[in-house]
Amino acid sequence: MSITTGPVSDRPAIDREGLRRKYREERDKRLRPDGNEQYLQPTGRFAHLLEDPYTPRVEREPLTDEVTVAVIGGGFSGLVTGARLKQAGIDDVRIIEGGGDVGGAWYWNRYPGAMCDTAAMVYLPLLEETGHMPSHKYVFAPEIQEHARRIARTFGLYDNAVFSTQITRLEWDDGSSRWIIHTDRGDRMRARFVTMGTGPLHRPKLPGIPGIESFGGHCFHTSRWDYDYTGGDPSGAPMTNLAGKRVGIIGTGATAVQCIPYLGRDAGDLFVFQRTPSSIDVRNNHPIDADWFSSLEPGWQQRWLTNFATLQTGGFADEDLVKDGWTDISQRIRDRVIADLGAGAAFTPETMLRAYEDSDDEKMEEIRARVDAIVGDPATAEKLKPWYRQLCKRPCFHDEYLDTYNRPNVHLVDTDGKGVDRIDESGVWVGDTHVELDCIVFASGFEVGTPAARRSGFETYGRDGLSLSEHWEEGMQSLHGIHVHGFPNLFVVGPSQGSNLISNITQNLTEAGRTIATVIRHALDDSADEVETTEAAEQAWVELVETSERAFIGNPECTPGYYNNEGGPIGRKEKRNGSGYPDGPVAFWQFIDRWRSDGRFEGLEFRRR
Ligand code: NDP
């Protein structure tokens, strides 16, 4: 295989066939017939992985009162929706959250090194509204969690919130046009409107490795980091209790990439069990300059958001404000297309596809070359190289991860795509090799492809007792990813069937929050008891979404993972769940802005009793 890289003007000679063959070989090693079924729910010995180790549960009386809006989930979806509601003058808002505080993923994920891969200037919502300057281009989890708290404080969202409260059932009462919210606290709250932002990466999953229950040492999942066992804290303080310990980590996804440098620093010996290497691009983090930040004109964050989303989804802009790995690949594709058109090529889907493939091959070759440049041992370097397209898996950006393998106490145990064979009382087996361990850290990710009710821990029953799981049996059905027929006064907050911008999740949420607040404001002003999408509008929207070529999920040529249904078939259901507006996020936001502003709310019915 021969690949050379170089500027667009001297087009690289790429042995594309050879590269594709290698990609296919590596993917095939990883395909398994059990797909999503390979993972285990944390039950039995692992049931505690669903509990909250950070906040003690304090008993309280059950609530039976009524609020105007119940906001389910205190992560960024709930916070930005709550903020938009308050901005729209709707004060009677109650956040209901399973964790002991706001923050969602950033409440649960406190592993050392946790940070966001998307630049803070666009990832952290409502920066201008809360007056916060991010400390760095990419910020660590404690700062993100603190920002979540800042949003809650700024908009008075703590006032009526209930924490450490798990919803068990949500049901629509047609007689009173109210939602009844049952919880594990014995609550039976009532709400006129409900917003639901339960997030996709919420419920930890475990690798389905034979014998996992039999391990006699200590173990935990990265989303419930056990600092009592390891020592240290979320700010990255030394985990002194790991000195002299043999620690294993299973998984090398985005989470593992961030915590492995810390485990490598502190563990006596660290064994990294790898099934598929992640692609590790340059991070280049740096502090934000206060003078520069204060020179930004009001309205800057919206300009940055639009600029990032435009460039990241193949659009054109005069400058790249964020300048990161996400916009880099898009810029390369764009520059190639311009060069091709300049050289006389026609503007066709083939030209675009070729530009995409060439840019991706070039980028991945750079990423593989970076491994060679950093990792001293050539055999280890070879195993750390990713052989797939960059967006097949979550791209990672890190400047210390690869270097960690140069430590003498850090051992890469590559499983050649097969995964760990089994676990016994004293450690882990890969082939004929047994690795004795004191502790196993499961960096095995979260349930993504399973039904929403299983992930959120409760079922939602709409009109006539229809459950959301039944309504979505063949995949999500909605208008704009928010309104669901048969579920009046319910609003879903998430990227699917809407803007679907995966590189900056919070931007989807902030805009969805704005839409929801506008609709609820209108319903209240109109004295409408119910607002609901019509069946026809929902169906038309789903049909539109199904025409999208921009499905988040879906490339069967990719190495398996949750981006492509673990290599399983991509049917109608997966496509519906993973698709957005066919013309992309920026076009969606322009569309929804017009929809919100013209006052007609096409596709919705506002009803008085
Ligand atoms: P992932 O699902 O991405 O990774 C799970 C890891 O466990 C994979 O490496 C997987 O291998 C491995 N694994 C599973 N089963 C086995 C097995 N039997 N033997 C060996 N290895 C196994 O979870 P993460 O927690 O890393 O990340 C989840 C998501 O969270 C990310 O995709 C990202 O969206 C988000 N995230 C975002 C961050 C950010 O900066 N914004 C930071 C961290 C996470 P394989 O790849 O072969 O399946």
Side-chain angles (χ1 to χ4, degrees), residues 325-404:
W326 293 105
T327 54
D328 178 58
I329 185 84
S330 309
Q331 296 266 48
R332 288 179 194 226
I333 297 168
R334 200 188 64 175
D335 291 350
R336 274 200 153 75
V337 171
I338 292 170
D340 279 346
L341 297 180
F347 189 68
T348 60
E350 290 71 34
T351 305
M352 294 295 290
L353 185 66
R354 183 166 177 94
Y356 169 72
E357 291 194 347
D358 283 354
S359 303
D360 195 78
D361 291 345
E362 178 188 87
K363 165 58 84 179
M364 289 306 287
E365 192 56 11
E366 285 173 18
I367 282 173
R368 289 185 285 267
R370 186 169 183 244
V371 181
D372 280 330
I374 296 176
V375 178
D377 172 42
T380 305
E382 209 47 44
K383 303 273 186 220
L384 286 166
K385 289 180 187 168
W387 295 101
Y388 46 80
R389 290 189 190 174
Q390 194 188 27
L391 295 182
C392 280
K393 286 184 104 64
R394 169 80 184 199
C396 297
F397 307 91
H398 213 285
D399 292 339
E400 290 83 35
Y401 174 72
L402 292 169
D403 195 31
T404 301

Side-chain angles (χ1 to χ4, degrees), residues 111 115-117 251-255 275-276 393-394 419-420 443 445 562:
Y111 59 84
M115 69 182 331
C116 185
D117 285 340
T252 49
T255 297
R275 192 164 67 177
T276 312
K393 286 184 104 64
R394 169 80 184 199
V420 166
Y562 78 82

